């Protein structure tokens, strides 16, 4: 969006972090309601249609000894996953339960920006994949952006090479990720404060009744 807006506007365009990164991760942890899962599980949270990739993820997860839990697909959690064959499907998760499913997972596979964002906030090992690559307005640019900000572009799973990748061996270096996010968080908060200061200044300039 920043690149697009720069081509239309004759002014500086800042790119700030999504609001979920601007509060301490403990805030989200305190809200999370952990699921009643006794065994280690892999969480699927997909919004697009990636049937072959999801089938491969389910197969490899079971081979690695994990249960596969899906929290549905689409723009909410009330639809069944297309193409996936999970051991359990959660169709009635609210925000707190959704957070808990991510917080309790051993690994997460998602094509969702916020699925990836909360995986990062909870310092989980995760893989993200592109949503509906063949569709023009697929919103994948947000995924590319947050992976680049965090310096973990390698966590993008491509269908062409996913079969050969060791999905459960490589861990995310969250110490390095945390340092990068902290820099962007400070800059993002300062941008918001500057906007508020400008609004307050304009309000003070208005004549009183």
């Amino acid at each position: 969006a920043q690149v697009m807006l720069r081509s239309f506007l004759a002014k500086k365009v800042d790119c700030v972090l999504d609001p979920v990164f601007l509060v301490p991760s403990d805030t989200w942890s305190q809200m999370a309601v952990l699921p009643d899962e006794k065994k280690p599980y892999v969480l699927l949270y997909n919004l697009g249609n990636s049937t072959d990739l999801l089938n491969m993820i389910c197969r490899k997860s079971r081979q690695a000894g994990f249960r596969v839990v899906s929290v549905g697909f689409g723009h909410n959690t009330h639809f069944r996953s297309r193409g996936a064959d999970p051991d359990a499907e959660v169709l009635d998760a609210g925000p707190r339960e959704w957070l808990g499913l991510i917080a309790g997972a051993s690994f997460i596979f998602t094509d969702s920006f916020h699925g990836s964002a909360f995986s990062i906030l909870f310092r989980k090992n995760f893989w993200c994949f592109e949503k509906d690559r063949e569709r023009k307005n697929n919103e994948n640019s947000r995924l590319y952006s947050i992976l680049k900000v965090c310096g973990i572009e390698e966590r993008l799973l491509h269908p062409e090479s996913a079969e050969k990748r060791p999905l459960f061996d490589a861990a995310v270096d969250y110490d390095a990720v945390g340092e990068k996010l902290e820099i962007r968080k400070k800059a993002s908060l300062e941008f918001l404060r500057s906007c508020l200061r400008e609004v307050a200044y304009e309000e003070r300039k208005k004549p009183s009744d």
Side-chain angles (χ1 to χ4, degrees), residues 7 21 32 35 80 86 91 95 101 111 113 147 149 161-162 166 171 191 206:
S7 67
F21 289 105
R80 294 184 180 278
L91 303 178
L101 284 164
D111 62 3
F113 170 81
L147 292 178
V149 165
S161 58
F191 172 79
K206 290 181 179 179

Side-chain angles (χ1 to χ4, degrees), residues 147-162:
L147 292 178
K148 184 176 181 180
V149 165
C150 294
I152 51 174
E153 294 97 323
E154 74 279 0
R155 304 311 291 193
L156 183 64
L157 192 63
H158 297 285
E160 298 83 4
S161 58

Side-chain angles (χ1 to χ4, degrees), residues 67-83:
R67 274 173 53 81
V68 180
V69 177
S70 170
V71 69
F73 84 97
H75 295 293
N76 54 48
T77 62
H78 303 288
F79 296 92
R80 294 184 180 278
S81 295
R82 286 184 295 186

Side-chain angles (χ1 to χ4, degrees), residues 5-177:
L5 288 171
R6 279 176 173 172
S7 67
F8 292 113
L9 302 176
K11 60 172 65 177
K12 180 186 176 185
V13 178
D14 290 276
C15 182
V16 298
L17 288 176
D18 188 273
V20 300
F21 289 105
L22 302 186
V23 297
S25 57
D26 287 349
T27 301
W28 302 115
S29 298
Q30 292 166 9
M31 293 174 60
V33 175
L34 293 173
D36 187 22
E37 286 286 338
K38 306 301 182 186
K39 297 181 179 179
Y41 67 92
V42 161
L43 181 69
L44 299 182
Y45 179 54
N46 64 295
L47 305 181
N49 187 9
S50 305
T51 301
D52 292 341
L53 185 59
L54 292 173
N55 284 333
M56 184 276 295
I57 291 170
C58 288
R59 174 170 50 81
K60 282 199 166 189
S61 297
R62 293 190 182 102
Q63 290 172 351
F66 296 105
R67 274 173 53 81
V68 180
V69 177
S70 170
V71 69
F73 84 97
H75 295 293
N76 54 48
T77 62
H78 303 288
F79 296 92
R80 294 184 180 278
S81 295
R82 286 184 295 186
D85 181 27
D87 298 302
E89 288 185 300
V90 181
L91 303 178
D92 59 351
R96 291 164 61 90
E97 289 77 17
W98 184 83
L99 288 172
L101 284 164
I102 294 178
S106 297
F107 284 84
I108 296 146
F109 292 86
T110 182
D111 62 3
S112 155
F113 170 81
H114 283 103
S116 301
F118 279 101
S119 296
I120 293 167
L121 283 165
F122 289 149
R123 292 186 160 228
K124 310 300 292 188
N125 284 320
F126 78 104
W127 293 96
C128 62
F129 48 94
E130 295 159 310
K131 177 178 64 178
D132 299 335
R133 290 197 294 176
E134 67 284 353
R135 187 166 57 85
K136 184 177 181 180
N137 299 319
N138 53 36
E139 301 177 350
N140 287 323
S141 62
R142 294 197 301 169
L143 275 180
Y144 307 148
S145 179
I146 192 59
L147 292 178
K148 184 176 181 180
V149 165
C150 294
I152 51 174
E153 294 97 323
E154 74 279 0
R155 304 311 291 193
L156 183 64
L157 192 63
H158 297 285
E160 298 83 4
S161 58
E163 183 67 47
K164 297 179 180 179
R165 300 208 54 176
L167 300 183
F168 303 104
D169 293 340
V172 178
D173 181 359
Y174 275 113
D175 289 337
V177 170

